[in-house]
Amino acid sequence: MHYLVLGGSRFVGRHVVEALLARSDQVTVFHRGQTAVPGWATQVERRLGDRRVSLEALATGTWDVVVDTCGYLPSEVRSAAQVLKGRAGQYVFISSVSAYANATRPNDETSALGTLEDESTETVDGRTYGPLKALCEQVLMQEWGAEHCTVIRPGLVVGPHDPTQRFTWWPARVSMAYPGELIPVPGHPDDPVQFIDARDLAAFVLRVAEHGLAGVFNAVTAPGQFTFSGMLQACAQAAGTSPKWLWATAAHLEQAGVSPWVDMPLWVPPVGELAAFMRVSNARAEQAGLRTRPLAHTVADTLAWWQSLPQPQQAFTLAGLRPEREAQLVASLLKPTTAV
């Protein structure tokens, strides 16, 4: 089969392209050319361009499947859909579970989607990201028809080459622990964690494309499959370290000014408006063939990738606590008189 991958040189796109090449599929990649990928020179056809500026590089050609890994604005998805309409049989769009209207209860593919008062906004931030993805889905369906579209809504995507640092922080931090070191960790040991290894996401993209499966699928690990304490133990096992976990309640973290998701990556309080953010149903995707690898494999491979990076690239600038803030949090948690 011949695939066109929009945005194929970073993270999700990279894993999709590598999975396709491993199967000897024919691959065209449309990207800006800002990220070099070893081994591509003789294996893929490259079309250079910025989709927000011009799609001229896609003016010619036909493909069996389009895989869109980098559509964030309805306008850019509409432009691509219109340019490519009639020149491919299926359009696979990578959306997000953030497209759902709320996370107070577990979402499935029939749950309500988020909306924006100003649908013309082109500002992508924490408030608009999910609703914009929902609008991208709607635009695609309008242009191509539901029977030709596959929408995949992953949760947090993790694994090697992850630029967000949100999952990588934990195996990296645990790998640097000395025996018995107290590491502050959020919430409760049984708090759920849910994500998708980028390689499992790529494999699912190939499966729905190969079988021509249209519709919407949540691509995440099974709800309740993994807990925060289980994730931490996997990190310690992969790193060969033996720290001790110092659990901090959501109230204590808030009092200390430590934010979920950013300062404490991968974790959101399982209460309030995000109570079920980590309990999204993946039943439909599993029925369609989604398979997720053991947590230990994801942790070990992510750690090995991070350790292989040049030292300057190992620094955590987007997620996790800086050493001095972590030390302050540990001190506050050990104070017997601290009220939380």
Side-chain angles (χ1 to χ4, degrees):
M1 294 177 67
H2 191 179
Y3 288 78
L4 169 62
V5 181
L6 306 181
S9 58
R10 295 190 71 205
F11 201 30
V12 173
R14 175 173 180 163
H15 284 291
V16 169
V17 171
E18 289 178 351
L20 289 169
L21 293 177
R23 295 197 325 182
S24 299
D25 283 300
Q26 190 175 354
V27 182
T28 300
V29 177
F30 175 77
H31 68 133
R32 293 175 297 176
Q34 296 181 354
T35 304
V37 179
W40 270 23
T42 60
Q43 297 188 72
V44 306
E45 177 195 4
R46 297 174 65 196
R47 306 272 187 104
L48 297 181
D50 186 335
R51 68 188 298 169
R52 296 188 181 184
V53 178
S54 172
L55 296 173
E56 184 178 355
L58 296 176
T60 61
T62 59
W63 298 270
D64 296 302
V65 180
V66 176
V67 181
D68 190 343
T69 70
C70 60
Y72 300 99
L73 297 175
S75 59
E76 63 191 27
V77 172
R78 186 182 299 279
S79 295
Q82 290 177 345
V83 166
L84 298 169
K85 192 173 183 178
R87 295 162 54 206
Q90 183 179 6
Y91 197 122
V92 180
F93 178 69
I94 305 300
S95 184
S96 170
V97 296
S98 294
Y100 293 114
N102 68 73
T104 57
R105 290 178 291 183
N107 285 307
D108 63 24
E109 290 83 355
T110 66
S111 299
L113 300 179
T115 59
L116 289 171
E117 289 186 10
D118 179 10
E119 294 187 355
S120 66
T121 182
E122 296 202 341
T123 299
V124 181
D125 56 25
R127 181 186 64 85
T128 64
Y129 171 75
L132 283 172
K133 279 289 193 180
L135 287 172
C136 288
E137 297 177 13
Q138 295 170 23
V139 163
L140 178 60
M141 298 285 189
Q142 291 167 4
E143 295 293 337
W144 276 53
E147 68 275 17
H148 298 293
C149 300
T150 307
V151 171
I152 299 179
R153 295 175 184 151
L156 178 66
V157 185
V158 306
H161 307 295
D162 178 6
T164 72
Q165 304 180 347
R166 287 176 295 201
F167 182 87
T168 309
W169 158 263
W170 288 110
R173 173 63 186 91
V174 173
S175 74
M176 295 182 284
Y178 59 79
E181 180 179 4
L182 291 174
I183 297 181
V185 294
H188 187 275
D190 292 335
D191 285 347
V193 291
Q194 192 176 44
F195 47 83
I196 183 73
D197 189 299
R199 296 163 295 180
D200 296 333
L201 175 57
F204 187 61
V205 167
L206 270 59
R207 180 169 180 81
V208 298
E210 182 180 11
H211 293 275
L213 301 179
V216 182
F217 302 91
N218 294 329
V220 285
T221 52
Q225 183 177 0
F226 301 129
T227 63
F228 213 92
S229 62
M231 183 274 296
L232 292 172
Q233 292 300 331
C235 290
Q237 184 173 3
T241 57
S242 54
K244 293 183 178 180
W245 317 123
L246 189 59
W247 293 94
T249 65
H252 195 126
L253 293 175
E254 182 178 7
Q255 181 181 354
V258 175
S259 64
W261 203 247
V262 177
D263 293 332
M264 285 292 177
L266 191 61
W267 178 79
V268 291
V271 295
E273 63 180 9
L274 295 175
F277 183 74
M278 293 285 190
R279 292 192 285 127
V280 176
S281 171
N282 74 343
R284 189 165 192 266
E286 282 196 332
Q287 291 172 0
L290 173 67
R291 298 294 179 265
T292 57
R293 68 195 62 209
L295 174 59
H297 293 185
T298 295
V299 168
D301 293 347
T302 301
L303 177 60
W305 164 72
W306 175 79
Q307 290 174 331
S308 74
L309 294 173
Q311 190 169 4
Q313 295 180 28
Q314 291 184 357
F316 285 89
T317 58
L318 303 175
L321 289 173
R322 298 184 67 83
E324 58 273 18
R325 288 199 68 202
E326 184 180 87
Q328 292 169 357
L329 179 58
V330 168
S332 70
L333 288 167
L334 293 178
K335 286 182 179 179
T337 57
T338 298
V340 296

